[in-house]
Amino acid sequence: MQEFVDGLIASGALPAGMPTWLLYAAAMLVFGSLVIFVFALLVAGVTSWIERRVWGRMQSRVGPNRVGPQGALQWLADGIKNLLKEDIIPTAADSKLFRLAPYVVVAGFAASFVVVPFASKWIIADLNIGILYLTAVTALVVIGILMAGWASNNKWSLLGGIRSAAQIVSYEIPAGLSLFPAVLLAGTLSMQGIIREQGWAPWDWYAFHNPFAFVAFVIFFVSALAEGNRTPFDLPEAETELVAGFMTEYSGMRSLMFFLAEWGNLYVIGAVVTTLYLGGWQIPHVTDSVILTQVLQLGVFFLKAYFWVFVAMWVRATLPRVRVDQLMVVCWKYLVPIAFINLAGTAVTMVVLHEVPVLALPLRLGITAVALAIVVAFFRRVRYQLRRARPELYLSPVI
Amino acid sequence: MSITGLEVEVERDDGFETEEMTLNMGPQHPSTHGVLRFVIKADGEVMRKATPDVGYLHRSIEKIAEKVGYASFMPYTDRVDYVAAMPCNQGWAMVTERLAGIEVPRRGEFCRVIATELNRIASHLLAVGSMAMDIGAYTPFTHALRERELINELLQELCGSRLTFNYMRIGGCAWDLPPRFGEKAIEYLDHLEPIIDEYNALISFNKIYVERLASVAVISREEAIDYNLVGPNLRGSGVKYDVRRDEPYSVYPEIDFDIPVGTGEAGIVGDSYDRYMVRIREMKECCKIIRQCLSKMEPGPVIAKVPRNLKPKPGEAYVRVESARGDMGWYCVSDGSTAPYRLKIRTGSFAAMSAIEHVSRGLMIADLVALIASLDIVAPEVDR
Amino acid sequence: MTPGAYFNNIREAVTTVFEGMSVTFSHLVRKPYTVQYPDRMPIRVQDTLPVRYRGRLHVDIEICTGCLACQRACPIECIAIDAAKDPKTKGITVTRYDIDLAKCMYCGLCSEPCPTGAIHHTSEFEGACYAIEGLIAHFVKEPFTAYKRKKEGETDPGIKELLDRGLRYIGEFAKPAAPEAKGPSERAGETE
């Protein structure tokens, strides 16, 4: 995006006398708001609808299908309904913190869009510490949740807020450790840089580069789910235990802010996983037109990122919740040691492959084949489930 | 921090002074099964004490019996435990028949058993479904309810209602089986058994689920007997006691079925996972019972001749039936008039509620939810 | 924790999650069980319900015999009938027949003892009203003489239709075997 602004200054559309940092800042604000309002909020809203439809089908029911074609405007109806609701603030609640908390959470979520890439030339700011900035900014969410839990003056909310703080802070460690293999392999922290080092073919992606990176990819996804408060780690908002956890006392638009941040965060998780491990927006060279390549890259990136959103929804439909102490056990006893081993292993593999470069491609092809075998085994298991239950089939998503 | 000023300082071994929180898991809560209230004294996540508070669903059903009389009381027995209403119908019918000396025709007994076992499957489906939902998995709940819907349709054909059946009468059943009911029931059972396996694959053997329930809220054999637990709760602790086998009634002596017992397969005998798996296995046993009944039935009347205004001789009777939640006791004292002098219903959920306070010491709040769900407590049975 | 148990935990976690996710994925291609009532139904739900379904009560007042069996049988006293023996015509004059449907618990005990099947459950289950007074059903428009079953059979076609339907309804209920019957003469039970 920096080049774009430079181009605009050079062509005279923007006054040349002003300090460039001011122009960059203004451009970032403009593009940032564009991305947030046009893209992020839309994606968060539509994700809520898709989640409800996907959940519905997985639970043998339908999901919203009345408001708009197939219920596609349901999220808009929910948003308008929440705007029109009464704004209830408990009298004994700390009202300043209570009001501020949703905005802190949304700020943490929105700020992460600065480094989310869309295509090779479309990113708001290609910071050279991109991934580090992302990790730092998603930790803002913890502060917001703690504020929400404390300021509600409700012991259940407090429990939810504290659980969430413990969870997010703990899972920062395996998440951070698991993004280092990708950083090591790419040699840079910048998001676009990591993507550029990968290729468009699956065996060029970092996920299939060596077995340690594959495991790191899985661990990163699991830790990112925990950071986003998604099942199986959704204790802070465990509906059946704490009513709604830290969100209990919130009504109307304030509660919708929390949900917005959660669904939008799903997309950010998907985007980061795609960037680091699945080749980002890389496509083979199909056209010389710059705009068309950008659009195709955007499409590929979006599809890859959204697939992980779908997987997160799917996991939420399937798995139960872990308890708080089991959450900590999983993090500290399982994910962190394995993440360390992955980091060390990736470094060792890089050294070995530097010495014996002929091993690189067979290793990558081998791991891609293993991943493909897992996918094939999965679909065979699905077919077995269908054969055993002998249900009536209905393949169309339109009901 | 002292929100209400009522917190108590807690003595801990590590010298770290904390305060005990008093939480109210109120009558309105997404995961207490009905209107139950617990006052929890918790030290962070770990509970010191969870005191149950009952009575939010008390409807004086036992007193109503003294007013409406024997024959008219049958619809009220449905409401004693609306999740598994057929055994309640049967209990009331049996205690009145024992007082009045009425004998139920053989086909009537078979119809009763079929209806009861179908209802037991439905009740267990609801129990395991809501247990999965309380632990956090939302899908198994909908799958279990979907299967329960099919039983509701069968029972709707049988007696006209899906929840409060009023199927049995003093002396037998109100309706005989409708045409082709046996075929439809067997079709349903053939459909259900693979679905139970699929349900197990989805959630019962899931590692996270097993970890949540294994060795949690262990009720040992002695404790279970001391606290008067019955039904799947008792069998989950390893005690092989089932009223249908140990004090058989109706046509159960002629039917061959197993009694699943908790064996500590994932942890310690008597943990929540054992009680859960006992219910899953019992569903399969119910399928066996229904198939045998349908093959053993012969044509005949389903109801005996009963005088219009039934006046049993003065006396008292106590009858046990195996409801979905365990041994349900019906004690009736008759004084020779058309209404009982006193009726007392003893339910398994009430005993289970009283056991919670003891078992919940040292559990976490998340485990309390698992405990209530695994004891399959329903509020109408507790409060009547 | 032994290394064996550690790796066992990881293995079990991965395999059971894989299995569970395959079950939920297989549900994506199954037909949802939801019935999209009331607008996307091929036929009205009321027409799909079985004969024995206990919906709203209805009284065919033309064949009511004024015996008050339903009022006595009701456990919740929601049926209010005013019937008096008329000394002039030697029949029973029924002046009021009200059912308080707000109290009715749809148990079916009233339809069982009715000799003609006048009071019966329909398959109507949508009974919401805007005011609770609307839930009291008045079945008697003007006082009339209660019906008496004729020994030689009913001749009036309108009444005969109601009577036949009513008798079919109460024929669904099980009847005890008559003490002198040996064969399947008075059994109302269906054979399997």
Side-chain angles (χ1 to χ4, degrees), chain C residues 62-80:
Chain C
E62 296 87 351
I63 52 175
C64 171
T65 58
C67 62
L68 303 186
C70 52
Q71 184 178 5
R72 282 194 297 267
C74 177
I76 206 163
E77 294 171 7
C78 68
I79 304 180

Side-chain angles (χ1 to χ4, degrees), chain B residues 153-198:
Chain B
E153 303 229 337
L154 271 176
L155 288 172
Q156 181 183 255
E157 255 191 59
L158 176 66
C159 62
S161 173
R162 299 161 81 95
L163 191 73
T164 50
F165 304 112
N166 196 22
Y167 175 58
M168 303 182 194
R169 299 281 183 271
I170 316 283
C173 299
W175 294 271
D176 201 339
L177 301 184
R180 293 193 52 241
F181 184 80
E183 294 163 29
K184 290 187 193 157
I186 298 211
E187 203 181 297
Y188 172 73
L189 295 177
D190 290 335
H191 161 84
L192 179 71
E193 279 163 3
I195 297 278
I196 297 183
D197 293 327
E198 182 189 78

Side-chain angles (χ1 to χ4, degrees), chain A residues 85-307:
Chain A
K85 277 199 174 180
E86 180 188 351
D87 184 20
I88 303 176
I89 301 183
T91 6
D94 188 335
S95 84
K96 286 198 191 53
L97 283 180
F98 190 85
R99 277 178 239 248
L100 191 57
Y103 301 122
V104 172
V105 171
V106 173
F109 145 72
S112 62
F113 268 92
V114 170
V115 290
V116 164
F118 294 99
S120 56
K121 290 193 189 347
W122 293 348
I123 182 174
I124 301 181
D126 188 12
L127 301 177
N128 57 1
I129 51 154
I131 198 73
L132 201 60
Y133 166 84
L134 202 69
T135 324
V137 139
T138 48
L140 249 186
V141 175
V142 184
I143 303 183
I145 293 181
L146 266 176
M147 277 167 65
W150 173 263
S152 298
N153 193 42
N154 178 346
K155 284 178 206 162
W156 294 106
S157 304
L158 184 64
L159 266 180
I162 293 179
R163 277 178 175 178
S164 173
Q167 174 182 321
I168 296 186
V169 163
S170 303
Y171 277 84
E172 288 280 349
I173 314 277
L177 283 174
S178 297
L179 45 90
F180 279 129
V183 169
L184 274 182
L185 289 170
T188 165
L189 282 169
S190 133
M191 304 280 269
Q192 299 282 47
I194 296 178
I195 299 182
R196 279 196 205 100
E197 295 291 325
Q198 301 178 56
W200 62 268
W203 49 88
D204 283 329
W205 296 344
Y206 284 156
F208 307 128
H209 187 272
N210 58 56
F212 298 104
F214 187 66
V215 180
F217 154 62
V218 172
I219 292 186
F220 182 73
F221 184 66
V222 171
S223 318
L225 276 185
E227 298 246 337
N229 286 341
R230 296 285 296 185
T231 322
F233 307 110
D234 66 346
L235 297 93
E237 44 180 77
E239 185 188 283
T240 52
E241 292 164 30
L242 308 175
V243 189
F246 60 90
M247 287 188 268
T248 320
E249 298 289 343
Y250 283 88
S251 61
M253 204 58 191
R254 295 187 207 278
S255 79
L256 206 65
M257 292 272 163
F258 284 113
F259 280 114
L260 213 74
E262 181 182 323
W263 286 313
N265 215 10
L266 273 182
Y267 179 77
V268 172
I269 292 172
V272 174
V273 169
T274 318
T275 313
L276 290 175
Y277 286 107
L278 291 180
W281 38 252
Q282 293 274 13
I283 48 168
H285 184 87
V286 288
T287 169
D288 278 325
S289 152
V290 168
I291 288 289
L292 198 59
T293 358
Q294 298 298 301
V295 169
L296 281 174
Q297 284 176 343
L298 173 65
V300 162
F301 185 85
F302 185 76
L303 281 172
K304 284 187 200 170
Y306 218 76
F307 174 71

Side-chain angles (χ1 to χ4, degrees), chain B residues 346-373:
Chain B
R346 180 243 181 254
T347 52
S349 299
F350 191 72
M353 275 295 266
S354 65
I356 285 185
E357 186 171 345
H358 170 80
V359 177
S360 64
R361 287 199 189 152
L363 284 185
M364 295 203 201
I365 296 183
D367 292 333
L368 176 68
V369 173
L371 170 64
I372 300 172

Side-chain angles (χ1 to χ4, degrees), chain B residues 16-38:
Chain B
F16 189 54
E17 272 183 27
T18 55
E19 282 175 2
E20 205 178 66
M21 278 201 298
T22 306
L23 286 167
N24 181 40
M25 202 155 156
Q28 297 153 315
H29 193 94
S31 83
T32 56
H33 296 205
V35 277
L36 304 167
R37 176 173 174 239
F38 292 93

Side-chain angles (χ1 to χ4, degrees), chain A residues 60 155 163 240 317 323 326, chain B residues 22 31 45 139 146 211 367:
Chain A
S60 288
K155 284 178 206 162
R163 277 178 175 178
T240 52
R323 213 173 51 203
Q326 290 168 352
Chain B
T22 306
S31 83
E45 278 274 344
T139 317
R146 177 191 70 205
E211 287 294 314
D367 292 333

Side-chain angles (χ1 to χ4, degrees), chain B residues 113-131:
Chain B
V113 168
I114 292 175
T116 306
E117 294 304 319
L118 274 174
N119 206 341
R120 196 189 308 276
I121 300 178
S123 171
H124 282 323
L125 278 170
L126 186 64
V128 301
S130 27
M131 187 160 177

